[in-house]
Amino acid sequence: MSVRYDGNIVPVIPVNTPSANYNVTIASSLLRTLHPRLRRLNPGKPFRPFVITSPDIWALWSKPFLASFKESPTVLFLPSGERHKRMSSVESLAQQLSTAGADRDSLLLAFGGGVIGDITGFLAAIYMRGIRYVQIPSTLLAQVDSSIGGKTGVNLLAGKNLIGSFHHPQAVFADTDLLGTLAPAQLRAGLQESIKAGIIYDAKLFRYMEQNAAAILKTKRGADTKALTHVVAASVRVKASVVSQDEKESGLRMILNFGHTIGHAIEAATNYKQLLHGEAVAWGSIAALNVALARKAITQKEADRMTQLILRYGPLPPFKATAQKLVALTARDKKNRSGVRSFVLPTAIGHTEIVRDVTEPELIAATQSMLTLMRSHTTAPVSTKKRTA
């Protein structure tokens, strides 16, 4: 679905599940019309907005964010970075909400990347046993993936996203202007989730990203973002379609975890400091492709196309970890059932299968092949500098 907005036709993509129906709107300058949009979401219902964001996002974008508000909303800050995606942050924010007088008519506005979105959604799910919230994702990764589908939660030391709930937003407003201030590495990391969407579900999107890489990767302010907006919309359509068919990840939705089993293990092995989420998923996707190749589930030609596209949207930073350590960490993955790993393997561009019989030796071999490729493909020294999303 598309609507005319500010003289242009913009995508408005519905997400329809048994428990919630809402739209994802993708356009520029959405921030400047935010308050009237919130009123339309809540006709006749009182709401008091509370913004949860990071200091760096607020410093860049507070002026357009507040442009349509007659009274400034209450703003609560959470530092950037995966290390803050913890229960302690949720408790701190909940206490601040209570002190500020938030009640069941309050509306939380998640203004930031995936960490902000996940924490705000979880907080909305549990504060006073559930209040409303809206996603306003500021990173490409959040716009194409984490803001959609109602997954919320935080990490434990034992693993990623082990505490959480399903709680859908009232709406997602993906303002493409926000992408203009993204660091190139963050843009490329987000595009890895779009590549994933093409691999698992949408061969047309995959081909578009093959043929239009230069236009998609234009990051300077004022550059023509038509190609990037096309990728965002196509990626959102994939996520919306999958979530609408399988809200609680009982079947089809598991394909969205392609690359994430080893990807999450890479993040854990590097203490969530060396790689952005999309970068870790990219290496994890290559490991999964190696499993599919070893099983002859996919042709060498198609696997090579997928690997080349993943690397084309790099550079992907190297990291230090052994295959044995990474595979051991997959035992903590929340997708495991009854101690058995569920693994998403591509069978062709746009098609996947879910298998539950991947053995530890074949996973170690596939991961080792990925590590060998990493060492041959990257010449930069392994970074120990903290990176945040």
Side-chain angles (χ1 to χ4, degrees):
M1 175 170 70
S2 297
V3 298
R4 183 166 291 280
Y5 166 72
D6 203 22
N8 297 303
I9 301 296
V10 302
V12 177
I13 299 165
V15 181
N16 299 313
T17 73
S19 64
N21 300 308
Y22 54 97
N23 290 330
V24 182
T25 303
I26 304 162
S28 62
S29 299
L30 289 178
L31 285 187
R32 295 185 180 277
T33 56
L34 185 57
H35 192 253
R37 291 176 181 280
L38 298 178
R39 283 205 310 268
R40 285 196 291 272
L41 284 176
N42 298 278
K45 297 179 183 177
F47 68 90
R48 181 182 170 192
F50 287 79
V51 185
I52 298 181
T53 188
S54 64
D56 50 343
I57 293 295
W58 196 244
L60 285 169
W61 293 103
S62 59
K63 188 173 180 180
F65 190 102
L66 295 172
S68 62
F69 287 85
K70 291 182 180 178
E71 295 182 12
S72 293
T74 303
V75 183
L76 307 181
F77 292 107
L78 181 72
S80 297
E82 191 79 25
R83 70 191 185 284
H84 297 291
K85 192 177 170 182
R86 303 296 301 276
M87 285 296 295
S88 57
S89 298
V90 176
E91 183 177 3
S92 173
L93 289 168
Q95 184 61 54
Q96 291 176 64
L97 283 177
S98 179
T99 301
D103 58 23
R104 288 186 174 177
D105 285 333
S106 298
L107 176 67
L108 302 189
L109 306 178
F111 183 38
V115 171
I116 293 287
D118 283 1
I119 286 180
T120 303
F122 184 49
L123 180 59
I126 61 175
Y127 187 76
M128 294 194 170
R129 297 190 177 91
I131 61 174
R132 295 164 289 177
Y133 78 110
V134 168
Q135 289 272 14
I136 309 162
S138 66
T139 66
L140 181 60
L141 181 67
Q143 289 191 3
V144 302
D145 185 59
S146 62
S147 65
I148 305 153
K151 277 188 178 181
T152 75
V154 295
N155 303 333
L156 296 179
L157 286 175
K160 190 164 179 174
N161 297 323
L162 293 181
I163 300 289
S165 68
F166 286 93
H167 189 55
H168 292 278
Q170 281 196 310
V172 179
F173 297 121
D175 189 333
T176 53
D177 287 348
L178 295 168
L179 304 180
T181 56
L182 279 184
Q186 288 187 330
L187 183 78
R188 290 170 182 267
L191 286 166
Q192 294 294 341
E193 286 285 351
S194 295
I195 292 170
K196 178 202 78 175
I199 288 174
I200 65 171
Y201 202 77
D202 188 348
K204 200 172 181 180
L205 170 59
F206 185 93
R207 288 192 298 272
Y208 186 87
M209 295 188 74
E210 279 185 316
Q211 295 164 6
N212 297 277
I216 293 165
L217 287 166
K218 286 181 181 175
T219 58
K220 292 182 179 178
R221 272 187 168 180
D224 185 355
T225 60
K226 193 177 296 182
L228 181 59
T229 301
H230 177 90
V231 169
V232 172
S235 304
V236 169
R237 286 189 186 96
V238 169
K239 184 76 179 273
S241 176
V242 171
V243 167
S244 296
Q245 294 175 70
D246 178 18
E247 180 183 10
K248 298 293 180 70
E249 201 173 62
S250 58
L252 176 66
R253 186 168 178 171
M254 290 184 68
I255 69 173
L256 296 171
N257 293 312
F258 172 67
H260 284 61
T261 300
I262 294 296
H264 284 166
I266 292 169
E267 289 181 290
T270 55
N271 297 313
Y272 302 99
K273 292 179 180 179
Q274 291 183 29
L275 283 77
L276 299 174
H277 175 69
E279 294 167 341
V281 168
W283 287 126
S285 299
I286 291 172
L289 282 168
N290 291 336
V291 175
L293 267 175
R295 290 182 160 223
K296 300 189 183 333
I298 193 169
T299 66
Q300 184 72 55
K301 182 179 178 181
E302 290 219 316
D304 286 347
R305 280 180 67 191
M306 295 178 195
T307 300
Q308 287 163 13
L309 190 63
I310 290 168
L311 296 176
R312 171 68 181 84
Y313 282 82
L316 301 176
F319 59 92
K320 286 184 178 178
T322 65
Q324 288 77 8
K325 179 178 182 179
L326 293 176
V327 172
L329 286 168
T330 66
R332 303 175 182 175
D333 194 280
K334 72 182 188 308
K335 296 180 292 297
N336 296 346
R337 301 286 178 90
S338 302
V340 177
R341 293 182 186 88
S342 297
F343 220 82
V344 182
L345 299 180
T347 55
I349 294 169
H351 300 278
T352 58
E353 65 177 353
I354 299 167
V355 299
R356 294 179 172 84
D357 61 348
V358 175
T359 65
E360 190 164 303
E362 67 180 315
L363 194 50
I364 288 174
T367 303
Q368 185 57 59
S369 294
M370 176 270 291
L371 292 173
T372 300
L373 174 66
M374 178 189 74
R375 294 177 189 121
S376 66
H377 189 77
T378 56
T379 56
V382 175
S383 172
T384 58
K385 183 180 179 181
K386 178 179 67 183
R387 312 178 79 204
T388 59

